[in-house]
Amino acid sequence: MDRADELATYRQAVSDLLERLSPKDRSRLLRKTAHMLRRSQQRRIAAQVDPDGAPWPERKQRRDPKPASRAIRFLYRRPGADPRLVDMRSWTRRGNMLTGFDREAEGVRTFRADRISRHLPAEGAADPGAMAGSIRGRRGGVKKKARAMFSRMRTASHLRAGATPDEAWVEFTSRASRIARVHHFGLKDRVSPGGPEIRYPQRELLGFSQEDDEAVLALIVDEMER
């Protein structure tokens, strides 16, 4: 008998045991199972993999950024030296690097965004605050690392779990379910209202792996043997 046949036999035995429970006890046990399954789904979404363990397609790289029209001024930290003033025009950002015409140096220079100690207002302008996309906030503190895909959707407020006497379930809330469906099945959607329609890569947000199957069966047997 191979592993699949063993699991089928085991699953039938567990099903027979569940039928002997009262509706109240069966609902309680299935609810515990549902919450265990939600945790496994949350871990998998955080790991960015499908139920079979295959990694999700990476985010599509954005096109080369266009030069920004507004000037930026900031104090730039240099190892072993005092911060210096940077006043840039016609600049672009790629990841952590900013490149543009530095008026102080009278030439094109590249700077690391994580070394900006303070943003300054342009001459005669109000303080703009932190630069869009900067890893530092208005007060200079480092922001949290950029989140992985669907980090909010895997939270309990968007991913629910529950049970009845007959079934256990894990699902996205109605607000998140439309977004989840597009990505789960690799459907088309608009990037923004009125924007172009694109097809998203398929990334299976919910699924039932063999590990889940075995964990559910083990949990139920363990609970019923107490």
Side-chain angles (χ1 to χ4, degrees), residues 40-57:
S40 74
Q41 305 299 304
Q42 290 170 325
R43 288 193 297 269
R44 193 170 47 73
I45 293 174
Q48 313 275 278
V49 296
D50 285 338
D52 62 1
W56 285 349

Side-chain angles (χ1 to χ4, degrees), residues 126-190:
D127 189 343
M131 180 178 55
S134 171
I135 68 167
R136 290 184 176 273
R138 178 180 292 272
R139 299 182 179 179
V142 177
K143 297 178 182 178
K144 293 182 179 180
K145 185 178 179 181
R147 293 175 176 172
M149 288 183 287
F150 313 115
S151 59
R152 292 184 60 186
M153 289 178 60
R154 70 173 186 259
T155 61
S157 59
H158 293 287
L159 186 59
R160 302 185 303 178
T164 68
D166 301 313
E167 64 179 0
W169 48 266
V170 177
E171 66 178 11
F172 287 103
T173 61
S174 57
R175 185 177 181 181
S177 62
R178 189 191 71 81
I179 299 174
R181 182 174 180 273
V182 169
H183 291 275
H184 183 88
F185 294 105
L187 306 178
K188 289 184 176 181
D189 197 11
R190 297 188 185 280

Side-chain angles (χ1 to χ4, degrees), residues 56-75:
W56 285 349
E58 295 183 359
R59 276 195 178 105
K60 185 177 180 181
Q61 296 295 324
R62 295 184 178 181
R63 296 178 180 177
D64 291 341
K66 296 180 179 180
S69 59
R70 73 178 179 91
I72 56 171
R73 299 174 74 235
F74 53 84
L75 293 179

Side-chain angles (χ1 to χ4, degrees), residues 56-222:
W56 285 349
E58 295 183 359
R59 276 195 178 105
K60 185 177 180 181
Q61 296 295 324
R62 295 184 178 181
R63 296 178 180 177
D64 291 341
K66 296 180 179 180
S69 59
R70 73 178 179 91
I72 56 171
R73 299 174 74 235
F74 53 84
L75 293 179
Y76 189 70
R77 292 182 291 107
R78 298 176 294 174
D82 294 332
R84 84 169 181 88
L85 175 68
V86 176
D87 188 336
M88 286 210 304
R89 301 290 190 274
S90 187
W91 55 276
T92 60
R93 176 167 184 166
R94 184 184 295 275
N96 188 47
M97 310 305 290
L98 287 78
T99 301
F101 184 83
D102 179 11
R103 295 179 65 187
E104 297 295 319
E106 298 184 347
V108 176
R109 297 290 186 271
T110 297
F111 303 92
R112 287 176 48 174
D114 59 351
R115 288 187 178 174
I116 296 175
S117 59
R118 181 184 175 190
H119 291 272
L120 302 172
E123 294 178 346
D127 189 343
M131 180 178 55
S134 171
I135 68 167
R136 290 184 176 273
R138 178 180 292 272
R139 299 182 179 179
V142 177
K143 297 178 182 178
K144 293 182 179 180
K145 185 178 179 181
R147 293 175 176 172
M149 288 183 287
F150 313 115
S151 59
R152 292 184 60 186
M153 289 178 60
R154 70 173 186 259
T155 61
S157 59
H158 293 287
L159 186 59
R160 302 185 303 178
T164 68
D166 301 313
E167 64 179 0
W169 48 266
V170 177
E171 66 178 11
F172 287 103
T173 61
S174 57
R175 185 177 181 181
S177 62
R178 189 191 71 81
I179 299 174
R181 182 174 180 273
V182 169
H183 291 275
H184 183 88
F185 294 105
L187 306 178
K188 289 184 176 181
D189 197 11
R190 297 188 185 280
V191 179
S192 59
E197 188 176 61
I198 67 169
R199 180 176 295 281
Y200 285 88
Q202 184 175 6
R203 300 180 176 99
E204 296 184 41
L205 276 75
L206 297 181
F208 202 66
S209 66
Q210 179 173 317
E211 290 76 13
D212 289 330
D213 194 357
E214 296 181 6
V216 167
L217 295 177
L219 171 67
I220 294 176
V221 170
D222 181 63

